Amino acid sequence: MKNQFIRAEEVAQELEVSRSYAYRLIKQLNAELREKGYMTIAGRVNRQYLQERLYGTSDQKECESRVNTQG
């Protein structure tokens, strides 16, 4: 079972972006979550929220199939 939170290193690896860009992305997503009243952790973001914002879905298998058909 994967951890509920994803760290910048894993975001960078999964999205094939630099670690600094992953940190900026996490910072933006955490700001959105704080505006909605959620608590956040610096340098980590909720895995499900990341998937929803990037792929429009929280279903991991659907996310993977979308990525595989687009790439």
Side-chain angles (χ1 to χ4, degrees):
M1 182 176 145
K2 289 190 177 183
N3 193 344
Q4 185 173 354
F5 291 92
I6 186 169
R7 295 175 183 239
E9 293 81 14
E10 192 175 352
V11 171
Q13 184 178 16
E14 285 188 19
L15 300 179
E16 296 180 359
V17 298
S18 69
R19 205 164 66 178
S20 63
Y21 184 78
Y23 275 111
R24 282 185 275 159
L25 181 61
I26 288 172
K27 186 176 181 178
Q28 176 185 342
L29 294 174
N30 278 339
E32 292 174 9
L33 287 168
R34 276 192 303 278
E35 285 181 17
K36 294 179 179 186
Y38 293 98
M39 294 177 66
T40 61
I41 301 171
R44 300 177 190 188
V45 70
N46 180 281
R47 186 179 300 273
Q48 181 179 348
Y49 188 69
L50 174 70
Q51 291 172 348
E52 288 173 1
R53 292 289 284 125
L54 289 175
Y55 309 114
T57 182
S58 61
D59 181 15
Q60 178 68 28
K61 291 185 184 202
E62 188 175 334
C63 289
E64 290 171 359
S65 68
R66 285 185 186 193
V67 170
N68 291 334
T69 58
Q70 292 174 358

